[in-house]
């Protein structure tokens, strides 16, 4: 996987929340959700906590690729990050990310979106 460009990292740190996460099922029917419990993980991924996923979880477990969409703080730029998912119900990634969550909001799993393509509007950044 490639490194997320600095312009995207900076925009993420100043973004408006929540972000939008999309998946597709095995018949290529899209599913789109808002997600607020998401953070950059390393230099090539984003970690999303699965608290209440249903169709999203099913799609990820069936091998869906996905996209994450967010707006810059001023709302003038959008960033779409595409990639593949990893689903972690335990282990180091799960423990690290869940430690940042409020204790009253238990996480079922942590999903990593391993980014391989990034757009800002129609401009491909990665």
């Amino acid at each position: 996987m490639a490194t997320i460009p600095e312009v995207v990292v900076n925009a993420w740190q100043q973004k408006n929340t929540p972000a939008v996460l999309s998946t597709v099922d095995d018949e290529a029917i899209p599913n789109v959700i808002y997600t607020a419990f998401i953070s950059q993980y390393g230099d090539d991924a984003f970690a999303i906590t699965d608290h209440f996923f249903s169709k999203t979880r099913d799609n990820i477990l069936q091998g869906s690729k996905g996209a994450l969409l967010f707006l810059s703080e001023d709302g003038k730029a959008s960033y779409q990050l595409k990639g593949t998912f990893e689903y972690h119900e335990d282990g180091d990634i799960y423990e690290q990310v869940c430690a940042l969550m409020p204790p009253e909001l238990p996480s079922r799993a942590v999903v990593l979106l391993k980014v391989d393509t990034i757009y800002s509007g129609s401009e491909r950044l990665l």
Side-chain angles (χ1 to χ4, degrees):
M1 297 289 159
T3 300
I4 298 168
E6 186 175 346
V7 65
V8 178
V9 171
N10 292 338
W12 175 257
Q13 292 170 347
Q14 304 298 317
K15 75 179 179 341
N16 285 326
T17 57
V20 176
L21 182 67
S22 66
T23 60
V24 294
D25 69 14
D26 58 358
E27 295 179 10
I29 298 172
N31 181 61
V32 180
I33 64 167
Y34 285 113
T35 182
F37 298 102
I38 182 167
S39 59
Q40 185 176 350
Y41 190 86
D43 61 2
D44 68 344
F46 282 81
I48 306 114
T49 51
D50 174 0
H51 302 284
F52 306 109
F53 290 176
S54 180
K55 289 185 281 184
T56 299
R57 179 185 321 106
D58 292 344
N59 293 347
I60 290 168
L61 293 175
Q62 292 173 11
S64 175
K65 290 187 176 186
L68 174 69
L69 177 71
F70 70 93
L71 294 173
S72 62
E73 184 177 38
D74 62 8
K76 293 182 180 179
S78 64
Y79 297 91
Q80 184 180 172
L81 297 81
K82 299 179 182 185
T84 57
F85 291 112
E86 295 177 2
Y87 196 80
H88 299 269
E89 295 178 277
D90 55 23
D92 290 343
I93 293 170
Y94 176 84
E95 296 297 329
Q96 291 169 7
V97 174
C98 290
L100 304 173
M101 292 292 102
E104 66 274 8
L105 191 60
S107 300
R108 172 177 277 169
V110 171
V111 177
L112 283 188
L113 176 64
K114 302 291 281 185
V115 177
D116 59 29
T117 308
I118 300 175
Y119 286 88
S120 178
S122 63
E123 179 185 1
R124 186 171 177 158
L125 304 177
L126 178 67

